Amino acid sequence: MAQRSPGYPRTRDRTYLGARYMRLMPRLGKKKALVALEHSLLTAVWHILTTNAPFHDLGGDYYTRHDPERALRRITRQANALGLTVRFEPIGT
């Protein structure tokens, strides 16, 4: 298990576990974030095996889709830290 987990940071844009690692890593550090990721993976495997459900990855953009307002606040905060001002407008279709 511990040998597979180091690959998840490289999949941050494509998989849910990679996105989860990127959210946990600044707060916990790299090693503890990997242990938390391994726990998430074991929990998912347990549910898959006990319910015979197929694995369904939520995707790397799960957190953005789940709470878009939080993503906008994060982007605004990062831009402000760089000395930039950001204004969001909906795309007209």
Side-chain angles (χ1 to χ4, degrees):
M1 183 68 63
Q3 293 176 355
R4 176 60 190 124
S5 295
Y8 284 109
R10 292 188 296 265
T11 64
R12 67 179 167 260
D13 296 334
R14 298 184 304 246
T15 65
Y16 168 74
L17 290 173
R20 180 164 170 76
Y21 174 80
M22 293 310 292
R23 285 176 62 100
L24 293 174
M25 194 234 338
R27 191 172 58 229
L28 299 178
K30 291 181 180 182
K31 290 184 180 183
K32 286 185 180 182
L34 281 176
V35 171
L37 201 65
E38 291 168 356
H39 182 269
S40 298
L41 190 59
L42 282 174
T43 303
V45 168
W46 183 84
H47 282 288
I48 290 169
L49 292 176
T50 57
T51 62
N52 273 343
F55 175 72
H56 175 64
D57 187 35
L58 298 174
D61 62 343
Y62 170 76
Y63 291 110
T64 305
R65 286 183 287 117
H66 182 68
D67 191 0
E69 293 297 321
R70 183 176 182 178
L72 289 176
R73 286 193 308 268
R74 179 184 50 80
I75 292 168
T76 304
R77 190 172 48 247
Q78 288 175 342
N80 290 341
L82 294 172
L84 302 171
T85 303
V86 179
R87 184 179 71 208
F88 295 101
E89 295 179 4
I91 298 174
T93 56

